[in-house]
């Protein structure tokens, strides 16, 4: 599930008409990186929770037969390959409208009837994760298959930034894994139970939907996914997954620009030119 209904105000004015998930890192929109990570993890149903003003995402993932034929007719096979298989034929997509911006927990709840009572994954596309070999969600799915326990992606955040994240405290079990003891949404540094911040990757049990119906508005007056997860912990264990990889907070301009530079350096046709350009820059 991809909650993509947020307003992306930190990228105004660009996000006046473009959803923030459609902003490109080099040549692919953020949402496509998240979709590719989900596909790599073996996910075959993609649910986008969107808002009525964000048609661009649905349009992006729709097949464009006319453009494909045009590129083929022009002999542009490389370009054709780039758009042909964005979503493979065996994968289905669904769009759910969140008509009011009531928070991440509410966005997830909106997809309740599509998910049913099965475990499911949530990916927040503005947390872009560049993993060395295996993508972050696949790491978590593999762990789920090994343990039968859901998980949340975490990484250490600076003490001054605990109030921007869900923060978890963990307990190391005999199996060597870290189980979540407590989870709090955006605590101050003084109140934070640790410095382990939640990044936008979750594997959650279907029971979370019932809990989302009982939680009240929390931080920011929003229905928080974190609060439902906290309630879930009283009956079901969840792992904290300290993923292998680098996360870019592409919801912030700094993170977005860092990601752009690092991803561009991975493109063989851009690398030398970018390095030469960076070398000319003065502080
Ligand atoms: C959401 C979650 C928060 C999590 C963060 C990760 O917050 O509520 O717990 O740490 O995503 O990006 P948001 O960034 O939507 O305020």
């Amino acid at each position: 599930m991809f909650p993509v209904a947020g307003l992306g105000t930190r990228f105004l004015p660009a996000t006046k008409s473009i959803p923030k998930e459609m902003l490109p890192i080099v040549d692919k929109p953020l949402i496509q990186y998240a979709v590719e990570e989900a596909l790599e993890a073996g996910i075959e149903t993609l649910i986008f929770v969107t808002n009525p003003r964000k048609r661009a995402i649905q349009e992006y993932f729709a097949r464009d037969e006319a453009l494909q034929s045009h590129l083929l007719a022009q002999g542009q096979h490389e370009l054709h390959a780039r758009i042909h298989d964005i979503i493979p034929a065996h994968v289905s997509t669904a769009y759910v409208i969140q008509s009011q911006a009531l928070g991440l927990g509410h966005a997830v709840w909106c997809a309740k009837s599509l998910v049913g009572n099965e475990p499911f994954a949530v990916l927040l596309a503005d947390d872009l994760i560049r993993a060395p070999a295996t993508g972050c969600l696949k790491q978590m799915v593999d762990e789920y298959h090994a343990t039968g326990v859901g998980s949340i992606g975490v990484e250490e955040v600076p003490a001054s930034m605990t109030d921007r994240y869900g923060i978890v405290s963990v307990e190391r079990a005999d199996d060597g894994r870290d189980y979540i003891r407590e989870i709090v949404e955006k605590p101050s540094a003084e109140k934070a139970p640790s410095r382990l911040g939640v990044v936008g990757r979750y594997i959650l049990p279907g029971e979370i939907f019932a809990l989302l119906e009982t939680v009240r508005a929390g931080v920011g007056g929003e229905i928080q996914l974190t609060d439902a997860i906290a309630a879930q912990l009283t009956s079901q264990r969840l792992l904290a997954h300290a993923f292998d990889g680098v996360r870019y907070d592409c919801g912030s301009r700094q993170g977005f620009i860092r990601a752009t530079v690092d991803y561009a350096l991975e493109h063989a046709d851009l690398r030398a030119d970018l390095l030469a350009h960076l070398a000319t820059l003065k502080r």
Side-chain angles (χ1 to χ4, degrees):
M1 181 190 307
F2 305 89
V4 290
L7 299 175
T9 48
R10 279 186 277 178
F11 283 91
L12 281 171
T15 46
K16 222 171 143 256
S17 68
I18 305 168
K20 68 174 170 179
E21 296 81 7
M22 285 301 296
L23 296 174
I25 299 293
V26 187
D27 52 13
K28 280 194 288 198
L30 279 169
I31 188 67
Q32 189 176 337
Y33 289 93
V35 162
E36 286 175 0
E37 189 182 321
L39 296 175
E40 181 205 356
I43 305 270
E44 295 186 340
T45 306
L46 310 176
I47 303 171
F48 299 88
V49 182
T50 178
N51 81 40
R53 293 178 57 225
K54 286 194 165 179
R55 298 205 159 272
I57 292 176
Q58 192 156 354
E59 280 166 17
Y60 180 75
F61 286 115
R63 284 179 82 81
D64 189 338
E65 303 290 350
L67 179 58
Q68 289 189 34
S69 317
H70 173 76
L71 291 172
L72 282 182
Q74 303 263 313
Q76 304 266 26
H77 296 282
E78 200 268 327
L79 292 180
H80 175 261
R82 282 198 214 173
I83 63 157
H84 164 254
D85 230 8
I86 291 180
I87 296 189
H90 70 282
V91 172
S92 60
T93 54
Y95 295 85
V96 176
I97 301 287
Q98 182 192 23
S99 43
Q100 281 176 286
L102 297 180
L104 177 60
H106 178 257
V108 169
W109 177 82
C110 287
K112 174 181 180 221
S113 61
L114 282 176
V115 176
N117 203 26
E118 288 179 56
F120 64 101
V122 178
L123 293 94
L124 305 183
D126 52 11
D127 278 327
L128 176 60
I129 301 181
R130 193 162 56 95
T134 308
C136 178
L137 191 66
K138 174 140 173 49
Q139 296 170 30
M140 290 167 62
V141 166
D142 289 346
E143 188 170 49
Y144 180 83
H145 287 313
T147 61
V149 179
S151 62
I152 301 179
V154 296
E155 76 173 2
E156 206 162 297
V157 299
S160 60
M161 286 169 74
T162 56
D163 60 358
R164 293 202 203 167
Y165 295 94
I167 301 289
V168 301
S169 64
V170 298
E171 200 170 317
R172 175 126 328 155
D174 292 343
D175 63 3
R177 299 179 198 272
D178 290 334
Y179 289 83
I180 298 176
R181 198 189 303 153
E182 196 185 346
I183 181 165
V184 192
E185 182 68 6
K186 304 195 171 92
S188 62
E190 298 75 49
K191 295 210 172 126
S194 81
R195 282 177 39 198
L196 270 188
V198 170
V199 304
R201 299 293 182 280
Y202 306 79
I203 295 182
L204 298 172
E207 287 87 3
I208 200 82
F209 292 113
L211 293 166
L212 282 167
E213 278 167 24
T214 66
V215 296
R216 303 197 177 173
V219 173
E222 298 188 334
I223 306 287
Q224 296 291 350
L225 181 58
T226 296
D227 295 342
I229 293 170
Q232 181 83 58
L233 288 175
T234 59
S235 60
Q236 222 165 340
R237 299 200 301 172
L238 281 176
L239 285 158
H241 183 88
F243 56 91
D244 191 12
V246 179
R247 164 195 168 255
Y248 300 87
D249 173 12
C250 292
S252 79
R253 291 177 304 166
Q254 292 87 336
F256 186 88
I257 290 163
R258 282 184 195 181
T260 300
V261 172
D262 287 359
Y263 276 76
L265 288 172
E266 282 187 354
H267 284 251
D269 58 335
L270 299 176
R271 185 180 171 83
D273 179 72
L274 179 55
L275 284 174
H277 173 65
L278 292 174
T280 67
L281 300 181
K282 304 224 166 58
R283 287 166 73 86

